[in-house]
Amino acid sequence: MTALEPRDADVSPHVVDAPVVVAESEGLLGRTYRALSIGIVSVVFLIAFEATAVGTAMPVAARELHGIPLYAFAFSAYFTTSLFAMVLSGQWADRRGPLAPLAAGISAFGAGLLLSGTAGSMWMFIAGRAVQGLGGGLVIVALYVVVSRAYPERIRPAIMAAFAASWVVPSVVGPLASGSVTEHLGWRWVFVGIPVLVVFPLALALPAIRRMASGPADPSAPVEPYDRRRIGLALGISVGAGLLQYAGQERNWFALVPAAAGVALLVPAVRGLLPTGTGRAARGLPSVVLLRGIAAGSFIAAESFVPLMLVTQRGLSPTMAGLSLAAGGGTWALGSYVQARPRLEPYRERLMVGGMVLVVAAIAGAPSVLIASVPVWTVAVAWAVGCFGMGMVIASTSVLLLKLSAPEEAGANSAALQISDGLSNVLLLAAGGAAFAALGGGAVGAAHDAVEAGASGAHPGAFAVVFLPMAGVALVGAWVAGRVREKA
């Protein structure tokens, strides 16, 4: 039952028909959807701002807390707990509705920020990041279920485009604002200041979600118990990913033990949590989930090495190297906007294939700056093109996932999409980092120090073995994109 359906049997149909017609003709900011749209987009905006701002303050926090050796765990703690929370949120939202996991997730997210911002030791800081990851995992899946429940199919591409657009300003302003706050007020204010900003989106979004998307998808159906097996698999995928990250940092023979344990946990967990047929790119939902992982993993793994390549091989300052990627936020949002045009809906599969081809071209073209005669701005142009393709692909995978999911399965399938995204990031980053180190790039863990120092010792071939294989992975994604439609 939606907010626009009659709640009593004796309500005259004439009283209901007019609002329904109005809602069907309304857009994203129409009266019916305005508060909900502004509220949930504001939530995504704050998450984006936190993601871009915290990375700037993190090195200062680790140094002040005497935790430089534990620096990487401040990132992996967020990642591992968020994977578990995604599965939990999917089950919670499917059985009880998205309101409770969303509220709990935002609360945990804010509590984690406060815990990290007031930490007196690095381990306490890492614990805060872990709590924050739980909140982030709950929120992202719950938001997908809200979109599935509250918005008609014709509006979903627009809300996904709005989610993408909400990252544009934070990607530019976040690091600058965080740097200024860290320099003048201290790094702790970057963490403790953000929870205060959550009040506004909560005040807008939660009442609207209660009206339009609360409760189970079918209130008349009996509530099924939680799937303990899936929750156990979620715990396995989180612990397995954490063990692989730990082993990747150690890079010695003893690291093979946690690496083997991580693989043993990950393989059955991935097979159990992703849709059947994902590994073989079966048509429909499995290919949508697989494509999300391929696109996100290959692009992010390559992007992580762009600033380091520009600093060490072309002598750019870290600031200029970072700015070379700044235009990507705008073109990513533009790509999301393009896929949201109603007249392009019949061509969504072609848009996704074309988007992946642009991603391939960007990743393959970026290392051309290793040749001294190639202008350094080539990277900026290539990455702007690649981000345009990513905007079309990532938003389209979200739209298709909701289209191919029954209402009672939206939570579990959204969790699978996010797991594919997050897990592929860590696996392809680990693979790219190992190749980079093997060909003389130096320890990946020292990449940040190299950027800061403007070192120039990395061998050009070390970058080529990162970018070119990732372009090959993205090319596979172009093939998978042609299989996202179910057979007629």
Side-chain angles (χ1 to χ4, degrees):
M1 179 180 293
T2 69
L4 297 175
E5 292 174 340
R7 298 182 181 274
D8 300 300
D10 59 348
V11 175
S12 169
H14 297 290
V15 177
V16 179
D17 285 349
V20 171
V21 172
V22 171
E24 288 180 351
S25 63
E26 285 181 0
L28 199 61
L29 296 177
R31 185 177 62 181
T32 303
Y33 307 108
R34 185 182 301 130
L36 178 62
S37 299
I38 295 175
I40 62 177
V41 169
S42 297
V43 170
V44 175
F45 178 88
L46 289 176
I47 292 175
F49 185 81
E50 181 277 337
T52 55
V54 164
T56 303
M58 198 81 77
V60 180
R63 185 171 61 247
E64 194 169 301
L65 295 172
H66 308 289
I68 294 296
L70 302 173
Y71 181 78
F73 288 101
F75 294 95
S76 61
Y78 183 101
F79 173 77
T80 54
T81 56
S82 67
L83 281 175
F84 173 75
M86 288 171 188
V87 177
L88 178 61
S89 182
Q91 293 205 30
W92 193 354
D94 283 342
R95 284 157 178 77
R96 302 292 182 181
L99 181 62
L102 181 61
I106 292 175
S107 299
F109 193 80
L113 284 167
L114 291 174
L115 184 59
S116 292
T118 57
S121 68
M122 191 60 180
W123 280 115
M124 186 63 69
F125 182 88
I126 291 171
R129 291 288 291 166
V131 173
Q132 195 182 339
L134 283 172
L138 289 171
V139 167
I140 189 63
V141 174
L143 283 177
Y144 272 68
V145 179
V146 169
V147 172
S148 173
R149 299 272 188 91
Y151 294 94
E153 187 175 323
R154 64 180 178 81
I155 297 182
R156 290 174 191 167
I159 191 65
M160 293 303 172
F163 284 172
S166 66
W167 280 80
V168 176
V169 174
S171 66
V172 177
V173 176
L176 297 176
S178 175
S180 298
V181 171
T182 300
E183 182 179 348
H184 297 291
L185 298 177
W187 64 268
R188 295 183 185 274
W189 286 99
V190 175
F191 290 85
V192 302
I194 293 176
V196 178
L197 303 177
V198 175
V199 175
F200 171 73
L202 277 180
L204 276 177
L206 294 186
I209 293 172
R210 186 177 291 110
R211 291 194 311 271
M212 304 173 69
S214 62
D218 184 0
S220 63
V223 178
E224 296 183 4
Y226 286 89
D227 189 336
R228 295 184 179 181
R229 176 180 173 273
R230 287 184 66 85
I231 293 177
L233 292 175
L235 184 60
I237 205 171
S238 295
V239 175
L243 288 172
L244 281 179
Q245 290 178 78
Y246 173 78
Q249 292 176 53
E250 292 299 307
R251 292 190 302 279
N252 55 45
W253 288 109
F254 295 104
L256 292 177
V257 175
V263 171
L265 288 170
L266 274 177
V267 171
V270 169
R271 294 183 63 183
L273 292 173
L274 300 187
T276 302
T278 298
R280 54 184 173 85
R283 285 193 171 274
L285 184 63
S287 285
V288 172
V289 172
L290 178 61
L291 176 61
R292 178 62 164 258
I294 289 175
S298 60
F299 193 77
I300 298 303
E303 185 179 63
S304 300
F305 286 87
V306 169
L308 183 62
M309 178 175 66
L310 293 176
V311 169
T312 60
Q313 303 302 308
R314 298 302 296 263
L316 268 65
S317 68
T319 300
M320 291 302 298
L323 287 175
S324 68
L325 304 177
T331 57
W332 191 305
L334 180 60
S336 297
Y337 172 82
V338 168
Q339 65 80 37
R341 298 304 86 203
R343 66 176 181 273
L344 295 180
E345 177 60 34
Y347 310 103
R348 184 171 297 280
E349 181 178 325
R350 295 181 186 178
L351 286 176
M352 297 173 77
V353 173
M356 287 308 302
V357 170
L358 294 179
V359 171
V360 173
I363 298 175
S368 65
V369 298
L370 294 171
I371 303 171
S373 60
V374 175
V376 74
W377 49 259
T378 302
V379 169
V381 174
W383 226 247
V385 170
C387 284
F388 179 79
M390 285 292 288
M392 291 194 294
V393 172
I394 296 299
S396 290
T397 57
S398 301
V399 171
L400 283 178
L401 177 112
L402 297 178
K403 183 177 182 178
L404 297 172
S405 301
E408 66 274 9
E409 298 174 343
N413 290 341
S414 297
L417 189 75
Q418 298 300 325
I419 288 171
S420 178
D421 188 318
L423 189 59
S424 68
N425 281 341
V426 70
L427 294 180
L428 290 178
L429 272 169
F436 181 75
L439 269 78
V444 174
H448 180 268
D449 295 335
V451 170
E452 291 295 319
S456 59
H459 192 279
F463 291 99
V465 297
V466 173
F467 286 94
L468 298 183
M470 294 306 159
V473 173
L475 187 59
V476 173
W479 172 75
V480 175
R483 300 176 60 81
V484 295
R485 293 281 190 185
E486 293 180 323
K487 286 186 177 181

